[in-house]
Amino acid sequence: MTERSRYRPATEVAHAGRDPRRYLGAVNTPVFRASTILLPTMADLERASRGEYPGLSYGLHGLPTVTDFQRALAGLEGGHAALAVPSGLTATTLPLLALLKPGDHLLVTDAVYGPTRRFCDNHLRRLGIDVGYYDPLAGAAIVDAFRPNTKLVFAESPGSLTFEVQDIRAIADAAHERGVRVVLDNTWATPLGFRAFDHGVDVSVHAATKYIGGHSDVLLGAIVANADTFPALHRLWTDMGVAPSSDDCFLGLRGLRTLGVRMQRHEASAREIATWLVARPEVREVLYPALPGDRGHALWKRDFRGASGLFGVVLQPVDGAAIGRMLDGMRIFGMGWSWGGFESLLIPTWPERARTVTRWSPGGPSLRVHVGLEDPQDLIEDLDAGFARLRG
Ligand SMILES: *Cc1c(COP(=O)(O)O)cnc(C)c1O
């Protein structure tokens, strides 16, 4: 539970969830390693067995490093309370399991993170949940996809790989008019770039593995909920036993402290590199909502308080071997899944393979760029040499 934030975002991330007086004055919440928690009396143990003990009764149910991470995240984007989970994928999937039942209809953005889509198709369908997809550009027109049994919309903005900005306010208004809830994967913007609850979502989820952790050394997720949805999420979180380790939450908290300054640098460097890419003859289109000229720029400007360092690039038509020559020879940009760390990444993507209700045919092969914290001029020189290899 959180009060509305009193400070500006950079101050918030530096101080949220900290209480040094509880830990001998230590600035950071220490790593608490514990499974068994000893209770003082039999009466206390009995109360704990009924779930009525006010303190901690078992390590799985909220060690201080975990709960401080949760408290830190709850308030940043205006939510009621948060749950920490062992990965971003647990954060996207747990709310779907908690809030849906057999016979319910779920609408998922067609630009959803691939593993979230696999969970819906492989498991929610098996459980008798009616899974459908919607056009990420639908906005208020999402009503056309609603059915009498629609219970939940799962949005992700900007979309994975293709970076469409969604009109979350319009979607949330249309949904709430019909008693439908909205879950948003807010990983790209982080709590600093998009204050999800100001735009009407019920649940905002994050792969803290990305920018919140920020150093490519932790897998962690966070689910932030409003007061209405939190009890059902907390019930399933407890019953499934999916608390992350204190070590991982310690890294999540440590990453959070520098999130503000890192995001400023990611965005500034990404703008510089995206602008350089737009002018390149090898490039057909840059998919970065923070860039004037991007099809989502007006919405991004209306709703977001910042951008991140992740964007898409559509190349002019070129064969796979040429792209291989470019990518295999990069010196600074690495090739690998995930993003949000201090280091830059460059991978090929195939967004057209996943779509089911919209077509993705941008007219050339796709890349995804993660701009890290290196000097942007070095990154531009690495890309420039890469384009020389691409041309042969
Ligand atoms: C990476 C990612 C996830 C999953 O995070 P993991 O910690 O790798 O499970 C979820 N959503 C989005 C948008 C992501 O990019």
Side-chain angles (χ1 to χ4, degrees):
M1 249 142 289
T2 54
E3 66 273 38
R4 221 177 146 74
S5 57
R6 285 160 297 157
Y7 299 111
R8 290 165 185 82
T11 312
E12 277 287 309
V13 293
H15 291 276
R18 285 203 305 114
D19 189 0
R21 284 163 309 178
R22 285 164 62 201
Y23 312 117
L24 307 171
V27 168
N28 296 294
T29 305
V31 173
F32 279 83
R33 292 176 173 278
S35 52
T36 299
I37 303 292
L38 301 175
L39 300 176
T41 66
M42 190 177 99
D44 287 326
L45 194 105
E46 242 182 329
R47 225 173 295 153
S49 74
R50 290 194 301 267
E52 289 163 11
Y53 186 68
L56 181 63
S57 62
Y58 189 53
L60 195 56
H61 300 153
L63 294 169
T65 327
V66 179
T67 52
D68 284 358
F69 177 67
Q70 293 177 159
R71 276 197 307 125
L73 280 174
L76 287 177
E77 53 188 331
H80 164 75
L83 295 165
V85 287
S87 70
L89 190 55
T90 318
T92 63
T93 56
L94 187 141
L96 298 172
L97 268 185
L99 300 174
L100 291 165
K101 60 180 189 321
D104 287 350
H105 178 229
L106 162 71
L107 274 174
V108 182
T109 167
D110 210 17
V112 72
Y113 175 64
T116 303
R117 181 189 285 264
R118 281 204 300 272
F119 176 80
C120 295
D121 293 345
N122 292 341
H123 302 288
L124 294 183
R125 284 199 168 128
R126 178 171 57 77
L127 297 173
I129 291 154
D130 189 358
V131 177
Y133 291 89
Y134 71 90
D135 181 348
L137 298 175
I142 196 169
V143 291
D144 299 336
F146 282 163
R147 299 188 196 158
N149 59 336
T150 305
K151 289 289 156 54
L152 198 72
V153 171
F154 188 98
E156 183 183 327
S157 178
S160 268
L161 309 182
T162 46
F163 301 92
E164 297 95 335
V165 180
Q166 296 197 24
D167 191 339
I168 296 297
R169 168 50 69 188
I171 289 172
D173 286 349
H176 291 158
E177 227 168 82
R178 288 158 186 80
V180 175
R181 283 157 165 169
V182 178
V183 178
L184 171 71
D185 186 334
N186 196 20
T187 299
W188 182 86
T190 83
L192 294 183
F194 189 77
R195 268 184 69 90
F197 294 87
D198 290 354
H199 301 270
V201 311
D202 297 279
V203 180
S204 171
V205 300
H206 295 273
T209 304
K210 308 284 169 53
Y211 286 117
I212 293 171
H215 295 73
S216 304
D217 54 6
V218 64
L219 289 157
L220 191 61
I223 302 167
V224 189
N226 61 12
D228 171 49
T229 53
F230 184 74
L233 300 172
H234 186 253
R235 185 76 262 155
L236 186 63
W237 182 82
T238 305
D239 292 348
M240 286 189 68
V242 283
S245 75
S246 287
D247 301 73
D248 291 344
C249 288
F250 180 89
L251 289 175
L253 280 165
R254 167 183 285 221
L256 190 66
R257 302 308 173 206
T258 57
L259 185 66
V261 66
R262 283 187 288 111
M263 293 314 292
Q264 280 178 3
R265 175 63 183 260
H266 282 296
E267 177 176 345
S269 295
R271 279 176 183 280
E272 190 174 334
I273 290 165
T275 304
W276 180 82
L277 283 167
V278 165
R280 293 292 307 199
E282 299 87 352
V283 171
R284 193 176 178 96
E285 195 180 352
V286 174
L287 310 171
Y288 187 46
L291 216 58
D294 184 275
R295 74 221 135 118
H297 184 65
L299 261 183
W300 176 81
K301 219 168 144 177
R302 188 192 75 182
D303 290 349
F304 287 68
R305 305 195 302 190
S308 70
L310 189 79
F311 60 84
V313 176
V314 179
L315 296 173
Q316 299 290 1
V318 62
D319 64 36
I323 300 173
R325 282 197 306 274
M326 175 178 184
L327 298 188
D328 291 349
M330 301 305 291
R331 304 183 77 104
I332 302 174
F333 283 91
M335 223 185 322
W337 308 121
S338 206
W339 43 273
F342 54 83
E343 83 288 11
S344 290
L345 300 166
L346 181 62
I347 58 167
T349 64
W350 300 273
E352 61 282 357
R353 291 183 188 170
R355 301 279 171 140
T356 52
V357 297
T358 51
R359 252 170 66 87
W360 180 257
S361 48
S366 304
L367 302 176
R368 189 181 70 186
V369 182
H370 178 250
V371 176
L373 302 176
E374 304 94 336
D375 189 306
Q377 197 51 45
D378 285 326
L379 296 175
I380 284 173
E381 287 167 19
D382 202 21
L383 288 168
D384 193 39
F387 282 135
R389 290 191 301 278
L390 180 93
R391 291 191 306 270

